Amino acid sequence: MFAMKLPPELPSRYDPSLFETEIYAEWEASGAFTPPATPQNEPFTIMIPPPNVTGVLHMGHALDGTIQDIVIRFKRKQGYDALWVPGTDHAGIATQAVVEKKIFADTGQTREDLGREAFLAEIWKWKEQNGATILDQFRALGCSCDWTRTHFTMDADLSLAVREAFVRLWQRDLVYRGARIVNWDCKLQTAVSDDEVEMTPTKGKMWYIRYPLVGREGHIMVATTRPETLLGDTGVAVHPDDARYKDLVGAKCRVPFVEREIPIVADDTVDAELGTGAVKITPGHDLADYERGARHDLPIINILDKAGVLNDEAGPFAGQSREAARKAIEEQLEALGLLDRVEDIKHSQPISDRSKPVIEPIVREQWFVKMQPLAEPAIRAVREGSLNFKPERWAKVYLDWLEGVHDWCISRQLWWGHRIPVWYDEDGVPCASVEDLELGAPHPETGKPIVRQDDDVLDTWASSWLWPFATLGWPKQTADLERFYPTQFLATARDIIYLWVARMVMAGHALLDDRPEAERTPFGTCYIHATVLDGQGKRMSKSAGNGIDPLEMIATYGADSVRFCLISLTREGQDVKLSESRFEDGRPFTNKLWNAARFVCANLAGDVGAGTLDEAQTFEDRWILTRLAETIAETTQALEEYRFNDALTGLYRFTWNDFCDWYLELAKARFTGGGEGGDDARVVRGVLVRVLGDLLGMLHPFIPYQTEVLWQVLHEALGRTADKQLVTTAWPDGAGLGSDAESLERMALLQELVRAVRNIRSVTMVGEKKPLDAIVNAPSAAERATLGELEAAAKGLAFWLMLSIYDNPERPASSAVGVASGLEVFVPLGEDVDKGKLVEALDQRVAKKQKLKDGTAKKLSNQKFVERADPEIVAAERERLEELAVELELLERNLAGLRA
């Protein structure tokens, strides 16, 4: 029951600002989002992809949150013990960068000035002040998370889980420290993950450099975009089938300046068509070269320090920045006659998305997780069906990454994050421990004093990969873990399929090894949602200035309209082109629903029927109840299959077309003429209440606020108190409904008849409500009898003065014609119609339609378009061609009649 006071008379338009804040507060206060403390039904669990604690809601979040909320509201109404766990990620680099910048702006101090402990205290202070911002924004969207279970990846219980996971992997020899190539941020002086690197298109140069051959005349020429890295070269590679270099494979050449002799090797990965077909191998500063170097057993030389300055390995260029060394090397190569040419090119550079300098691939000592053993059960999860992707094609992205997986660098040279739980004795022997080891205490293995803890922290993903079970209490065997794991549904973006999704599956299989393998997979369905683009199809970003703030849209249009817009534009597997004007699209629908409910509630004085098919007598009552049953079944199936757009589209059509445009128009006549107290009025009131109530229940997951208001309004109009909020009422089950084929056929005939006359009005430009006479050609006696029974309903909907039904009547002179289910409809045109002007206007319309038809036919005759375009676009074009053919035929027939 709602404590919110509804206005005594509903306004003519729905105003979300009057209701949303208060409704959400009542939902939350009532415990509607929290599953029962003791298990009552089968669980259904969703874990929110934890947004960065530094973040604010963007359109990707809004779409993701809306999808998850639709699912959890649907499952809650189906009777599941539904749990949606919210929380935030500590976002190591992002948060440290934000707080460092703030401290320096406020005090002029760096983190080094403060020291580690004082700096971390400042971050915690900032987190307490700002960390809940994005979760409050999810509330504004209407997300029905169980806020009593909110988690943060640096909370004590999750920190325990992170340490436990690290130690278990350590004990299984799956964690090690070693030198491998990593993405290095020279400004922040830390390794960074792939998702923190933006490949940015830029203008650059290609240098063509001659390396002198050793022991013979001549040279081999390589092309590079980074000439300073030649100082770390340990080989040159060519393709084994490249005839130009066949005689040089096995020979050596000399690296300029450092005079290092390096081998020329044959390698299948070289593109013989790119550059000169010969590539320098710098294993210490390029991932592809690192792998080539490993294949050919080449040494690794690191020429950069952690700040990106050239070190002693750079010979005469030591101490220079990368940019200065590049310029100096170019000048000296030219002086030595070793620079063939420099070309301007366009290429992509890896840029740190936090600090913005160019990322340097560098071989450094880091902590790594061995991924191959963890990948095998994660691959089986998809192949054996415990994990399903929607759309299915994303399973290939997941599997491709896992099948070629590299070891994962999990260490970061930061202060904010989970500090690696490894301690060292005086000889540097490491030991991992869940509990803190005191300095000076004996090392568990060597017995020598512990002298320090590892300074590095873990990659943020090394905590979020535990999210599905750590949030439920793992490593403790809690009731929540037993009850709600594995979860059933995950919605997320495509760009973190391997960064997060695959790693969560690996973690579940590696760490919940007390369960059967199929029960370790953390979620049954991974739904990869669309990417939200701007109106021109470009990715939204702050730097491009093309983002749309969902909070501004919520403030302007209401949360329901924002949710409606996002889902109505999102078809499975297709990205969303979004402009601000599209949020207007939700308003007509919410206002249509609002005014339909106002009509229903204004006509409930008197007895109310049961709203069942058995009680319904008129064909329109039986039709709308049959359509309601079909809509319940179709919507339920669509939501079970996570076809959100299909579900909403079906509900939209049922609401707008079936209920509002047809049934309500027919029902209005039954409340006039003093019949409000009769049995017919009682029945129609029952049908109206049943349809509106079930419709509100089905629309609730999509537009929760307005449907909750109208649910309460409906019960007040009935003189009842709603026993429950709509958020917790049962999903419509179709009880008392069924299928009546005859009513479907009758309504289809009525609709065709009315549409035929409306088309005639459109063709002849006669006013929408101007009374007309109509003649129907119905050769069948059965059709004439049915039309006679529908005459009263048809007159009211089509604004006819008189409807005449004949067997093969002659078409009147100067009449317009329409077609309804194979029946012809003639409408004589009055003397007030200027037939000359009408013929001229129709001729112009024919020419316009013919041009459109010809253009569409030409497009469909283009085989490349048919093969390359989206199948749905091709299908739509074919459907449009058929529609244009029908429209042209109707226009031509009307012109023929007018010219007769």
Side-chain angles (χ1 to χ4, degrees), residues 258 260 301-305 309-319:
V258 291
R260 184 183 306 120
I301 298 174
N302 183 357
I303 65 165
L304 298 174
D305 67 13
V309 176
L310 274 66
N311 61 25
D312 291 343
E313 295 284 358
F317 304 98

Side-chain angles (χ1 to χ4, degrees), residues 714-759:
L714 177 61
H715 282 77
E716 283 202 7
L718 289 166
R720 309 171 188 166
T721 300
D723 294 332
K724 291 184 177 180
Q725 301 166 355
L726 183 59
V727 67
T728 54
T729 58
W731 183 256
D733 61 3
L737 304 178
S739 180
D740 181 6
E742 183 181 352
S743 69
L744 293 174
E745 292 172 3
R746 285 183 169 234
M747 179 57 77
L749 180 59
L750 173 64
Q751 289 173 332
E752 287 289 323
L753 196 58
V754 172
R755 288 187 185 117
V757 176
R758 289 174 179 171
N759 287 338

